[in-house]
Amino acid sequence: MPAWLTVVGMGDDGFAGLGRSARRALLDASVVYGSERHLVMLPPRLRARREPWPRPFDVAQVLAHRGTDASVCVLASGDPMLFGVGATLARQLSIDEMRVLPAPSSLSLAAARLGWPLQDVATVSLVGRPLAALNAYLHRDTRLFVLCGDGRTPGAIAALLNARGLGPSRMIVLEHLGGASERRIDARADAWNHDEVAALNLVAIECRAGEAACTLPLTPGLPDEAWRHDGQLTKRDVRAITLARLAPEPGELLWDVGAGCGSVGIEWMRAHPSCRAIAIEAHPERQRFVEHNRDALGVPGLQIVAGKAPDALEGLAVPDAIFIGGGVTAPGVLDSCWARLRSGGRLVANAVTVQSEATLVTWRERHGGTLTRISVAQAQPLGGFDTWRQALPITLLESRKP
């Protein structure tokens, strides 16, 4: 199918800043979709019907023109394929059906203004996303670009940095990049005093740690102190081994069955921004722990399903991996998880009691896999000396579905 849709990236300089191909596409269009801010930038001489995006946002009206004679344009900010509507449309259309004419992105403009090599700067979008997503990117001496949803977001970012002990961090707010109203605000997070800035803004951050900074490593096996829990926590060393056996890859989905405080599912998602996880937990208080921990550790996208396996598994998306941290002795849990796991997927289950270990041994005899005994001891005081205190041993089952 030939291209019937043109996605035009527009900067804050409006129609005047567009190249020849983008102007021609808009002049020839019969209908143009975009935000109200973009549509008012178009000159009166354009004959196209102007359609603002519906609220809530939806591209269904654009897709309805597929197969018609209409010449359709969509306006986007900067580069449409960078957190933009172009990426949304590309998930539903083949690239042969659409042309994308990008303008410089706000990230490119910000990098040019600040002299920051763009490839060395992490990017976080808070447009339509929780502020908690920023927590996963807060590390000492890193640089971040944060795309903001409104004029109050920079203040919220400053408050978050202060709460994490990163008050000395440098914040640079860039408003209306590339437009006549472009403005720059520089301040430390602990000296931020602007209640609101322009709605169209980007925040550049140079993370600097104070004495009480709370930053966490990228490796699996975060400290046990990083979690809010009631004792139902896969401890640090066992958690690191468990995640190594689960072996997350980009874009994969994990079921964390009997999630407790959510530690395994949360660390699975921290392995890569595209990793997804569903925490299945029946205990209401532990569900609250999962909610707190996922936000504090920067993965607010973790889905929580309230209920017990196997009944709570009905209707969930097919997983690439499953971790069973509790409830392996419950009738049907192992078999239901195995049945729903995709071909080639991994199942890992941990057992502490004799009964749960026996369940794993019996299950392995039917389906195969490996069993590993994990014993961890820590040196602790005994009188004037130290001795080894042995934690409860863990039996770990790992199996890959044919």
Side-chain angles (χ1 to χ4, degrees):
M1 180 181 293
W4 56 271
L5 172 65
T6 302
V7 185
V8 175
M10 181 183 284
D12 208 51
D13 50 359
F15 189 80
L18 296 178
R20 179 177 296 178
S21 296
R23 290 189 187 193
R24 185 76 264 163
L26 288 166
L27 288 167
D28 292 342
S30 55
V31 58
V32 178
Y33 290 88
S35 67
E36 293 179 2
R37 181 178 70 86
H38 285 137
L39 292 175
V40 299
M41 293 179 176
L42 299 179
R45 68 177 183 274
L46 262 67
R47 64 180 179 84
R49 187 175 83 254
R50 306 175 192 203
E51 292 285 350
W53 292 119
R55 297 181 181 178
F57 176 80
D58 192 351
V59 296
Q61 290 178 315
V62 174
L63 298 176
H65 293 285
R66 192 181 194 185
T68 71
D69 294 330
S71 178
V72 184
C73 274
V74 165
L75 294 176
S77 293
D79 185 346
M81 303 305 293
L82 183 71
F83 298 106
V85 68
T88 302
L89 290 164
R91 286 191 285 268
Q92 304 192 53
L93 299 172
S94 73
I95 194 58
D96 295 335
E97 297 181 69
M98 55 188 284
R99 274 195 311 165
V100 180
L101 305 176
S105 70
S106 58
L107 302 183
S108 295
L109 293 172
R113 301 292 188 270
L114 301 176
W116 291 6
L118 189 53
Q119 70 272 13
D120 297 335
V121 185
T123 301
V124 186
S125 175
L126 297 181
V127 180
R129 295 175 174 86
L131 178 67
L134 187 57
N135 281 320
Y137 297 84
L138 298 180
H139 302 286
R140 298 170 190 267
D141 302 323
T142 58
R143 286 174 168 174
L144 304 174
F145 282 151
V146 184
L147 303 174
C148 297
D150 57 41
R152 293 188 175 274
T153 304
I157 291 172
L160 177 62
L161 290 171
N162 284 314
R164 299 296 295 264
L166 297 167
S169 297
R170 180 189 180 199
M171 289 178 56
I172 307 155
V173 176
L174 299 166
E175 302 176 332
H176 292 287
L177 275 164
S181 302
E182 182 173 324
R183 185 174 73 134
R184 170 173 171 165
I185 305 170
D186 285 73
R188 279 174 43 135
D190 53 12
W192 185 261
N193 60 1
H194 301 269
D195 292 336
E196 191 165 2
V197 301
L200 187 63
N201 72 84
L202 175 149
V203 179
I205 304 172
E206 285 187 312
C207 290
R208 295 288 181 266
E211 293 182 1
C214 178
T215 60
L216 294 169
L218 298 173
T219 50
L222 295 178
D224 293 343
E225 295 75 23
W227 308 92
R228 184 177 293 180
H229 62 92
D230 62 356
Q232 293 298 310
L233 169 70
T234 302
K235 299 299 190 294
R236 181 180 194 173
D237 298 297
V238 174
R239 192 182 334 121
I241 295 170
T242 298
L243 284 156
R245 299 300 182 92
L246 286 168
E249 294 191 20
E252 288 193 323
L253 172 66
L254 171 76
W255 285 1
D256 186 356
V257 179
C261 70
S263 62
V264 171
I266 289 168
E267 292 214 38
W268 167 280
M269 291 184 66
R270 283 172 57 88
H272 192 272
S274 66
C275 285
R276 300 165 293 135
I278 301 173
I280 297 97
E281 176 54 56
H283 195 287
E285 185 179 12
R286 291 171 189 159
Q287 293 164 17
R288 304 292 82 78
F289 291 150
V290 177
E291 290 175 352
H292 168 83
N293 291 329
R294 70 179 180 184
D295 289 348
L297 296 170
V299 290
L302 175 75
Q303 180 184 347
I304 301 173
V305 172
K308 286 185 177 182
D311 294 342
L313 307 179
E314 292 294 333
L316 301 184
V318 175
D320 301 284
I322 298 175
F323 172 63
I324 308 175
V328 294
T329 58
V333 168
L334 273 166
D335 288 338
S336 293
C337 287
W338 188 249
R340 288 167 171 78
L341 184 65
R342 72 161 175 85
S343 296
R346 292 90 65 199
L347 184 146
V348 174
N350 289 354
V352 178
T353 67
V354 172
Q355 289 79 9
S356 56
E357 181 182 85
T359 300
L360 296 186
V361 170
T362 301
W363 192 90
R364 174 177 171 263
E365 291 174 353
R366 291 189 288 124
H367 298 284
T370 61
L371 288 171
T372 303
R373 174 67 64 87
I374 304 171
S375 297
V376 178
Q378 294 183 334
Q380 295 182 2
L382 179 65
F385 300 91
D386 291 325
T387 189
W388 293 107
R389 298 289 185 185
Q390 187 80 33
L392 291 174
I394 303 292
T395 300
L396 182 149
L397 167 73
E398 176 189 1
S399 189
R400 183 177 291 269
K401 189 173 182 179

